[in-house]
Amino acid sequence: MKVLRQRVKEVVASAGFSSKEQQELVLAVDEACSNIIKHAYHFKSDREIHLIILKTDEALIFQLRDDANQVDTSKFKPREWDQIRPGGLGLHFIQEVMDKVAFIEAETMGNTLEMVKYF
Amino acid sequence: MTYLIEEKNDYLVVRLEGEVDLSCSPEARRVILDCLQKQRHLLVDLSGVSYIDSSGVASLVEGYQVSRSKNLNFALVGVSDNALNVLKLARLDQVFPIYTSIETLLQDGS
């Protein structure tokens, strides 16, 4: 995860995001990976996560793909803000930082999460 | 992540260092809860934390809740800019007692 965070930081820095935005984008991608590790791979360390970062004229697009069984994305709900409890924060961070977050329907195995951050 | 536990007046001080992420947060959680099990007031020093994710924040939230259930004091001290940004993103900067340093807290008479 440390290597992934470093790589994401390099990309978002080169794209011109501010220091604070860089930190937040690294956090959001890291949280998305953590969700895959926890909920899709159940902490199995021999599985792969593919991260693709696309740069367009207007945005960076982060695509995270796993090869786990397709998950029921309707179950992913961020925590209510007024609930002070451990857990449930990761999805909030992702939604707070990114401008668009969506799962791309796969026809076969796996799940792809797409996150968009406009410049 | 590394950690160091010290005593300061009535408090145990847990100083976390480095990156508190999914791989390290179970250890951070264990250390925090172990201190509270000893019925000691607790300060968590985050001045050396360069990165913290939601699992690390969850360890702090759990420590805060356990301390309240045991009528023990719990506060964060010397929170690094990176850690503070994440706490703000979680809107927890208004929930945790946060002090710039241990000395500030002790002067406060808290």
Side-chain angles (χ1 to χ4, degrees):
Chain A
M1 295 288 274
K2 187 170 183 152
V3 175
L4 177 130
R5 288 197 294 267
Q6 187 55 44
R7 188 73 191 99
V8 172
K9 188 170 189 340
E10 288 165 10
V11 173
V12 298
S14 69
F17 286 103
S18 71
S19 178
K20 184 168 178 283
E21 287 171 324
Q22 289 173 35
Q23 189 206 346
E24 290 176 348
L25 286 162
V26 168
L27 177 70
V29 175
D30 189 47
E31 294 289 353
C33 287
S34 292
N35 281 344
I36 292 171
I37 292 166
K38 286 187 285 188
H39 303 300
Y41 289 156
H42 306 289
F43 291 96
K44 287 178 185 155
S45 57
D46 60 342
R47 308 295 294 271
E48 291 185 350
I49 298 172
H50 296 268
L51 170 63
I52 299 167
I53 306 176
L54 305 167
K55 185 170 183 275
T56 69
D57 288 343
E58 55 185 15
L60 279 186
I61 301 167
F62 303 85
Q63 290 182 344
L64 272 175
R65 196 176 78 240
D66 63 62
D67 58 7
N69 293 331
Q70 290 183 2
V71 294
D72 180 0
T73 56
S74 66
K75 289 181 180 172
F76 293 141
K77 288 192 172 63
R79 188 197 72 169
E80 294 300 322
W81 279 122
D82 58 358
Q83 295 175 339
I84 299 166
R85 60 172 176 80
L89 272 173
L91 199 50
H92 255 307
F93 287 160
I94 295 167
Q95 291 181 332
E96 194 82 357
V97 169
M98 296 291 181
D99 295 311
K100 280 187 185 172
V101 181
F103 280 94
I104 298 172
E105 287 287 329
E107 288 181 18
T108 53
M109 285 283 288
N111 305 278
T112 300
L113 177 70
E114 185 172 276
M115 301 175 287
V116 179
K117 181 70 177 181
Y118 293 111
F119 297 123
Chain B
M1 182 198 82
T2 58
Y3 68 88
L4 185 71
I5 302 174
E6 299 172 306
E7 288 205 41
K8 197 93 176 183
N9 294 22
D10 293 336
Y11 288 90
L12 282 180
V13 182
V14 174
R15 181 176 164 80
L16 301 178
E17 291 263 359
E19 299 187 324
V20 189
D21 65 4
L22 188 64
S23 64
C24 309
S25 55
E27 188 174 29
R29 175 182 180 270
R30 180 185 58 76
V31 170
I32 288 168
L33 295 183
D34 280 356
C35 290
L36 292 168
Q37 282 303 117
K38 294 173 183 163
Q39 295 295 323
R40 299 293 303 274
H41 300 304
L42 185 64
L43 303 178
V44 183
D45 184 335
L46 298 178
S47 58
V49 169
S50 56
Y51 178 82
I52 188 166
D53 71 358
S54 67
S55 67
V57 172
S59 304
L60 301 175
V61 170
E62 194 170 355
Y64 174 68
Q65 290 178 324
V66 169
S67 69
R68 291 186 64 171
S69 71
K70 292 175 174 288
N71 285 319
L72 296 167
N73 295 341
F74 179 98
L76 307 180
V77 293
V79 182
S80 65
D81 288 346
N82 282 352
L84 188 60
N85 285 343
V86 175
L87 292 178
K88 284 180 176 172
L89 209 53
R91 304 183 192 179
L92 289 168
D93 57 312
Q94 302 301 316
V95 174
F96 291 120
I98 297 177
Y99 294 85
T100 51
S101 68
I102 297 168
E103 289 69 28
T104 309
L105 180 144
L106 296 175
Q107 281 169 9
D108 240 27
S110 300

